[in-house]
Amino acid sequence: MVVLAKEELEQISLPFIQKPIPSSLIPVIDLSNPNSKSLIVAAAQELGFFKVINHGVSMEIMSALESEAMKFFALPQSEKEIRGLSPLGYGSKKIGSNGDLGWVEYLLLEIASKPKSQSSQFCSTLNEYIKAVRKLSVEILEMMAQGLHIEEKEIFSKLVMDEESDSVLRFNHYPPCPHLLGLSNRSLTGFGEHTDPQLISILRSNNTSGLEIALKDGSWVSVPSDPTSFFVNVGDSLQVLTNGRFRSVKHRVMVNSARSRLSMIYFGGPPPGQKLGPSPLLMEEREQSLYREFTWKEYKSCAFRTRLADNRLVQFER
């Protein structure tokens, strides 16, 4: 359980609840559809966000890892803090080191090029899931490249397949919030508004909604949950590589007063030394580069120094 002191709770925003966006307006892409490449590109350009079905990841693996994660979050607080020490580890309430707070507890795991030792059921299930979602991320990134008519379809996917790829898996647990009872038409921020700095994020959650995305006009809309599918976010790095053709989507999570939410997010990142900038294979004649070249290590360091809602990319614009 996430426990916040009264003064900490007061620092977490209580925005008005948004009306759920009709599910028909969120792109749902069937990966078995021959036209899926162009549909993915259109969604990445317009929203930077879409849902995928017929993704090839076993529901059994998805449910098994959710079950193992919930077992972890059900442990006593002291045991979670000990078990979650390495690598990266367990945390609650504080998001980063710059003052952001949320009604959330999380487990952040580094994804190594070699599978983790299968010393427990959790590790065994984790290895299977990581293998499956990494494969899915590669498939989607290659479909994006093909949809953009780039001859080298691995132009994006090779960055997450690299042995030095800086990818992570994050479990976010948002317990029910009793403080919301009696607050009409209000919700509590579980994870504040932000964009993801990596290339791509592959998210799967349980059947509790809470995820919201921002449209181009700045309005927020709720995303209906679907535990059988994955939701894909375009990250900052991919926005840079496509010279702004794809949109890194701003999103946040709001807490439910009655039901807990668990999300499992694979963040596909490039190697630390990878140089990021608009891809020459995509740039048209006389097209101006919107961003200067920088390394992933440089950008990640910038992300760690800023608040969640800050626009980090503005520092790298030309």
Side-chain angles (χ1 to χ4, degrees), residues 47-68:
L47 287 179
F49 179 86
F50 52 92
K51 174 172 141 179
V52 294
I53 60 175
N54 286 327
H55 43 68
V57 181
S58 161
M59 187 66 196
E60 182 180 357
I61 295 175
M62 295 156 66
S63 298
L65 188 58
E66 176 187 333
S67 177
E68 291 297 323

Side-chain angles (χ1 to χ4, degrees), residues 154-315:
E154 298 86 3
I155 186 69
F156 306 136
S157 65
K158 66 183 181 183
L159 302 182
V160 299
M161 287 302 293
D162 192 289
E163 287 189 359
E164 300 299 321
S165 167
D166 185 17
S167 298
V168 295
L169 186 69
R170 183 180 185 115
F171 299 87
N172 286 335
H173 178 231
Y174 306 92
C177 181
H179 299 278
L180 290 178
L181 297 175
L183 294 178
S184 177
N185 201 35
R186 290 281 185 164
S187 57
L188 182 69
T189 300
F191 208 110
E193 63 181 79
H194 64 287
T195 59
D196 296 335
Q198 294 87 353
L199 291 161
I200 191 171
S201 306
I202 310 290
L203 178 147
R204 187 266 179 187
S205 71
N206 63 0
N207 60 1
T208 300
S209 297
L211 177 64
E212 297 182 356
I213 62 170
L215 302 181
K216 288 181 178 180
D217 63 5
S219 61
W220 288 94
V221 291
S222 298
V223 179
S225 62
D226 182 355
T228 69
S229 303
F230 286 96
F231 293 94
V232 179
N233 294 354
V234 170
D236 296 344
S237 296
L238 194 55
Q239 177 172 315
V240 170
L241 289 171
T242 61
N243 202 36
R245 287 172 174 77
F246 288 177
R247 174 175 176 257
S248 181
V249 62
K250 183 173 286 188
H251 53 288
R252 66 186 183 186
V253 174
M254 310 312 294
V255 173
N256 191 294
S257 62
R259 296 188 300 172
S260 66
R261 172 181 169 88
L262 178 78
S263 58
M264 309 184 297
I265 315 103
Y266 167 85
F267 296 98
Q274 177 66 43
K275 292 181 179 180
L276 299 173
S279 173
L281 297 179
L282 189 58
M283 299 286 281
E284 298 178 357
E285 187 178 357
R286 296 183 181 178
E287 180 178 349
Q288 295 295 313
S289 174
L290 300 179
Y291 307 96
R292 66 175 177 84
E293 190 176 75
F294 54 90
T295 65
W296 167 242
K297 183 178 180 180
E298 183 182 357
Y299 190 61
K300 185 177 178 181
S301 176
C302 170
F304 283 155
R305 295 194 305 268
T306 56
R307 298 291 297 268
L308 274 178
D310 290 345
N311 181 356
R312 298 176 290 264
L313 278 180
V314 71
Q315 302 179 44

Side-chain angles (χ1 to χ4, degrees), residues 72 75-86 89-92:
F72 173 83
L75 292 171
Q77 188 68 23
S78 58
E79 193 169 344
K80 283 185 287 192
E81 291 173 354
I82 293 173
R83 289 195 184 189
L85 285 177
S86 177
Y90 170 83
S92 66

